[in-house]
Amino acid sequence: MTDGSPGEELIELSLGYLYSAALHAAARFRIADLLAEGPRTPGELADEAGVQAPHLHRMLRFLATKEVFREDAEGRFHLTPRAEPLRTGVPGSLRDYVMVRGEDIFWSSAGRLHEAVRTGRTAFETLYDVPFYDHLAAEPRLEAAFHSSMAAFSESLSNDVAEVCELADARTVVDVGGGRGGLLRAVLRRRPHLTGTLFDLESVVGGHVLDTPDLEGRWRVEGGDFFTSVPAGADAYLLKHVLAGWPDDDCLRILRSCRAAMPGDGRIYVINSLIPEGNAPHPGKTMDMVMMSVLNGKGRTRAEYESLLDRTGFAVRSVVDATPHAGVIEAVVRRS
């Protein structure tokens, strides 16, 4: 811990990347899984993980300063509530998310954030000379890992989002850019009267999670490009964590595709973190740095999202902050 002086706090901030590195290493070696049945010494953990005990001890001691694991008086490490999501296959697991954020595509891009600020071009494109999603498409292993990580991140939010989407009078819904369908699955489970379409790239929807007995006959998947068109005629369209990944001009194209597909009484739900005014920490401000370094999108305020909707023929009807990661803006087709 620092003594709280401005200088000490600044030093701690400047070394923050070491926490990310240690967290990624803990996920890679499945330390949380090894601690699931009880506390263990670094030597016991190292034998199973295939690593060096002294170095593992130093790393876990470091993470324990952030309450990720805890060391007791006998030198054994314990699983903590903050480390619980690092376990594999448990509800709310974020191990896949943490693992992918330790990949070079994120790590190196963050190290070139200054280039993004200087040039206005994403740091990723400066390094790889190709847009992020094009690079993923050429790397099947990495693409699969990335989409798995996004599914892990979204899983914990989907139930909260599904709860606040007013769909009582809808009969059909399209999840645009819906990845593997976690949100659509949550929506369909809460609204037995609905049927839904999961729409994303062919390579993404092939790994969908909708084929469960309780949803039989109520869903379909469709591959395509949301810049060109989306499935037509649905009562409601969902855009969860889509627009933040793109610059304004591309967001307008996506929204226009949705508007062209919608009936006159249709509605759209734009779901993204809404950056508040002021200096307080907020997940949207953090994700905005990810967008700046890796993707060509950006975090936005409520007013900025409302402006995009207004420019594409929508009128905002309601705004709900389901979680800090997911504000839900409901908009309808604007009457002429």
Side-chain angles (χ1 to χ4, degrees):
M1 298 291 292
T2 68
D3 64 8
S5 71
E8 287 296 324
E9 291 175 356
L10 194 62
I11 289 171
E12 185 78 0
L13 283 172
S14 75
L15 297 173
Y17 64 93
L18 294 173
Y19 293 108
S20 300
L23 194 63
H24 174 257
R28 176 179 294 275
F29 298 128
R30 299 182 183 272
I31 301 303
D33 290 338
L34 297 177
L35 290 174
E37 295 184 4
R40 306 177 76 175
T41 67
E44 292 167 338
L45 292 168
D47 286 342
E48 289 204 42
V51 300
Q52 300 299 309
H55 288 71
L56 179 62
H57 176 248
R58 291 158 64 187
M59 186 187 78
L60 295 180
R61 180 178 61 190
F62 177 61
L63 285 172
T65 66
K66 296 295 185 182
E67 299 180 7
V68 180
F69 310 117
R70 176 177 64 83
E71 185 176 13
D72 64 23
E74 286 73 43
R76 300 173 303 171
F77 281 89
H78 297 242
L79 200 62
T80 60
R82 188 165 290 176
E84 181 71 22
L86 283 178
R87 292 177 59 193
T88 305
V90 299
S93 174
L94 290 171
R95 180 179 178 270
D96 287 352
Y97 186 88
V98 172
M99 282 290 295
V100 169
R101 269 61 194 175
E103 293 275 359
D104 193 58
I105 53 173
F106 286 97
W107 192 258
S108 296
S109 297
R112 295 294 186 93
L113 185 63
H114 62 281
E115 287 292 331
V117 175
R118 184 179 68 83
T119 66
R121 187 184 184 202
T122 65
F124 181 90
E125 291 185 25
T126 300
L127 283 168
Y128 292 88
D129 202 31
V130 65
F132 179 76
Y133 286 114
D134 289 352
H135 179 80
L136 284 187
E139 299 281 349
R141 180 202 65 81
L142 192 57
E143 183 181 38
F146 174 75
H147 288 298
S148 178
S149 79
M150 292 307 298
F153 172 66
S154 295
E155 184 72 23
S156 61
L157 302 177
S158 292
N159 291 334
D160 293 327
V161 171
E163 195 66 36
V164 302
C165 290
E166 287 291 339
L167 296 166
D169 58 345
R171 290 294 178 267
T172 54
V173 61
V174 177
D175 192 358
V176 178
R180 296 181 176 178
L183 175 59
L184 183 58
R185 180 177 62 184
V187 166
L188 294 180
R189 283 176 171 167
R190 278 163 177 72
R191 310 287 194 281
H193 65 284
L194 279 176
T195 60
T197 299
L198 175 64
F199 181 77
D200 210 316
L201 298 174
E202 289 279 3
S203 60
V204 178
V205 296
H208 70 83
V209 296
L210 298 171
D211 194 7
T212 60
D214 59 325
L215 299 181
E216 184 175 0
R218 298 177 52 211
W219 58 269
R220 68 185 187 92
V221 299
E222 183 175 333
D225 179 0
F226 51 42
F227 288 117
T228 303
S229 64
V230 304
D235 299 315
Y237 289 76
L238 310 175
L239 279 172
K240 177 171 173 280
H241 293 158
V242 172
L243 298 187
W246 301 96
D248 285 357
D249 287 348
D250 285 333
C251 289
L252 295 174
R253 292 170 61 198
I254 296 168
L255 290 170
R256 287 178 183 130
S257 289
C258 293
R259 174 64 186 88
M262 293 170 63
D265 59 351
R267 74 196 78 162
I268 191 168
Y269 294 87
V270 171
I271 303 154
N272 286 286
S273 182
L274 304 178
I275 296 178
E277 301 296 333
N279 300 316
H282 190 273
K285 297 175 183 180
T286 304
M287 294 308 296
D288 190 35
M289 293 299 95
V290 177
M291 298 303 163
M292 186 186 297
S293 60
V294 178
L295 294 168
N296 198 21
K298 67 177 190 176
R300 295 179 175 88
T301 64
R302 169 179 172 172
E304 288 172 320
Y305 280 117
E306 289 181 342
S307 175
L308 292 173
L309 287 161
D310 178 68
R311 292 164 65 186
T312 48
F314 292 100
V316 172
R317 189 157 76 175
S318 67
V319 180
V320 178
D321 275 318
T323 79
H325 286 283
V328 180
I329 302 176
E330 180 188 8
V332 295
V333 176
R334 189 171 58 230
R335 303 299 182 185
S336 300

